[in-house]
Amino acid sequence: MTKRAKAGRTAKPAKKSARPASGRNAIAASIDALPEGRYLLAVSGGRDSMVLMDAFAAARPAQVAVVASFDHGTGPAATRAADHTRREGERRGLTVVTGSRTGRVMSDGADAAKVQAGEEEWRRARWEFLNAQARELGATIVTGHTLDDQVETIFMRIFRHAGARGIAAMFAPSPIVRPFIRVPRDDVADYAKSKGIKFLEDPTNASMRFLRNRVRHELLPAAERVQPGISAELIRIAERAAEWREIVADCADILGAVDVAIKPGQGDEGTLSVAIPAPALIGMQRELLGVIWPELVARAGGSLDWRGLARLNGEAGILKAGSEIPIAGGLSVMRTPTSFVVRNQGVDGPLY
């Protein structure tokens, strides 16, 4: 087992500076602020990710391991976007790889449940591809998410009754690098216009079938009209939530949480596991367990909904050594003579 050092946790998004740059300067400053590395650029063909690719090509081309695009198999628009990314990436001298999935185009009359299931399937397939490419190349994934994307995500998380862990959204520590997470979407648009960057609009961005689009075009503007400045307040709430997550992570370290290293040949090479001494949790108040269990599951690369948390709170304390509690999505908690071990056999899931 290996101790997870505080400094070794996944990276934190950069704090907002007192006098942030704006427009094209904000884009350049965001790329310049990244450490030396080997990067995989996740590019969809849309404006934000095309700006990401252009900025990297201009400032740090040697550090771009690959540009990765993904054709979701949802119709001609998705294929055109992947082809556009390939052409523009190669024109800038970058290596481009394209993943794809086969699937049906969702009908306009699809109900909300089918729409959500379709979004989740597209997202899962895309992240499996990105993670596989990043592992193969030893690269860090970079996305073009902006400050506006963060506001929309926070809004949706609150809409879905998320707690502090979820409300932190993309401010939470993550292995994914998001250099534009403090950059407003308007600044990205200004950069694209000034540089004449060619991009494609995803036709699904105008469809009100998708929650994010309803939030972007209807709900958030309405909320701003009723309570001006609510977007800035959501950002401040997410910042505090991210700080709270760091405190919880420190507590898990103090309790003895460790990553379990899987040795080659043990048969669990596809499993990510995190262990914590059993005495640290046995007898702990349910309220505290409700904070620690999600942290341990997150370290194993998973997430825990209220059903899984209720099951762990109810059963883990009476679990005998050698027994295991299945949760969901390849996640389980096993009891050894000395520890609780969170095991995740579905580690290719999206890391947001």
Side-chain angles (χ1 to χ4, degrees):
M1 296 184 183
T2 56
K3 182 72 174 180
R4 178 189 293 263
K6 182 173 181 180
R9 292 193 200 123
T10 50
K12 305 177 189 178
K15 297 277 187 179
K16 186 174 182 179
S17 61
R19 300 178 63 182
S22 61
R24 290 181 59 179
N25 291 335
I27 301 301
S30 298
I31 300 302
D32 289 343
L34 295 177
E36 297 288 318
R38 184 171 170 81
Y39 294 108
L40 178 152
L41 309 185
V43 179
S44 67
R47 182 182 59 202
D48 299 348
S49 62
M50 292 299 292
V51 166
L52 178 75
M53 180 169 70
D54 184 82
F56 256 94
R60 313 177 81 155
Q63 294 180 39
V64 178
V66 73
V67 173
S69 181
F70 191 77
D71 181 348
H72 293 89
T74 54
T79 301
R80 285 196 297 270
D83 291 343
H84 176 71
T85 298
R86 176 183 51 77
R87 289 193 300 270
E88 291 298 308
E90 291 175 350
R91 187 171 70 82
R92 291 168 171 80
L94 304 176
T95 301
V96 182
V97 295
T98 304
S100 64
R101 65 176 288 276
T102 56
R104 295 180 300 148
V105 179
M106 195 178 301
S107 66
D108 289 337
D111 61 28
K114 289 182 179 178
V115 169
Q116 183 174 351
E119 285 184 284
E120 291 172 353
E121 168 60 20
W122 301 338
R123 186 167 175 265
R124 182 199 62 78
R126 179 174 70 252
W127 279 102
E128 282 187 353
F129 167 71
L130 294 174
N131 285 329
Q133 292 294 319
R135 282 197 303 270
E136 180 179 334
L137 296 169
T140 298
I141 298 172
V142 188
T143 72
H145 290 107
T146 67
L147 186 65
D148 296 74
D149 292 314
Q150 169 71 340
V151 172
E152 293 160 5
T153 301
I154 301 163
F155 192 98
M156 290 190 295
R157 298 278 178 93
I158 294 173
F159 190 76
R160 290 168 170 164
H161 308 290
R165 292 195 67 84
I167 291 173
M170 290 181 280
F171 286 165
S174 170
I176 310 304
V177 172
R178 301 180 177 94
F180 300 162
I181 200 62
R182 294 287 185 176
V183 179
R185 188 176 288 140
D186 285 348
D187 285 356
V188 177
D190 289 346
Y191 180 101
K193 183 177 180 179
S194 67
K195 296 289 291 290
I197 292 176
K198 298 177 181 179
F199 62 91
L200 299 181
E201 288 285 0
D202 184 344
T204 66
N205 286 343
S207 172
M208 294 301 106
R209 294 179 300 162
F210 301 103
L211 176 60
R212 183 174 289 274
N213 293 342
R214 296 199 301 276
V215 169
R216 179 177 300 174
H217 299 297
E218 296 178 349
L219 299 179
L220 260 177
E224 281 286 353
R225 288 194 295 271
V226 173
Q227 184 175 332
I230 191 172
S231 294
E233 179 59 25
L234 289 175
I235 290 297
R236 290 191 289 271
I237 291 171
E239 289 170 341
R240 293 196 293 271
E243 292 170 357
W244 176 86
R245 284 186 60 147
E246 278 295 301
I247 294 170
V248 172
D250 289 341
C251 291
D253 287 340
I254 292 169
L255 290 171
V258 293
D259 294 336
V260 178
I262 302 299
K263 297 179 180 179
Q266 287 185 330
D268 279 334
E269 287 83 354
T271 301
L272 180 62
S273 300
V274 174
I276 192 167
L281 299 188
I282 293 175
M284 182 179 285
Q285 295 177 359
R286 289 178 67 91
E287 292 80 3
L288 296 178
L289 287 171
V291 170
I292 294 298
W293 277 124
E295 168 66 19
L296 300 176
V297 170
R299 291 189 181 196
S303 60
L304 195 61
D305 63 14
W306 67 269
R307 297 177 186 86
L309 180 57
R311 186 169 189 187
L312 287 178
N313 280 345
E315 299 180 24
I318 59 175
L319 197 65
K320 294 182 180 180
S323 300
E324 194 164 7
I325 302 173
I327 306 173
L331 284 165
S332 64
V333 172
M334 180 177 65
R335 175 70 190 274
T336 74
T338 60
S339 305
F340 289 106
V341 181
V342 181
R343 305 172 74 240
N344 184 5
Q345 294 178 302
V347 294
D348 277 332
L351 298 169
Y352 207 84

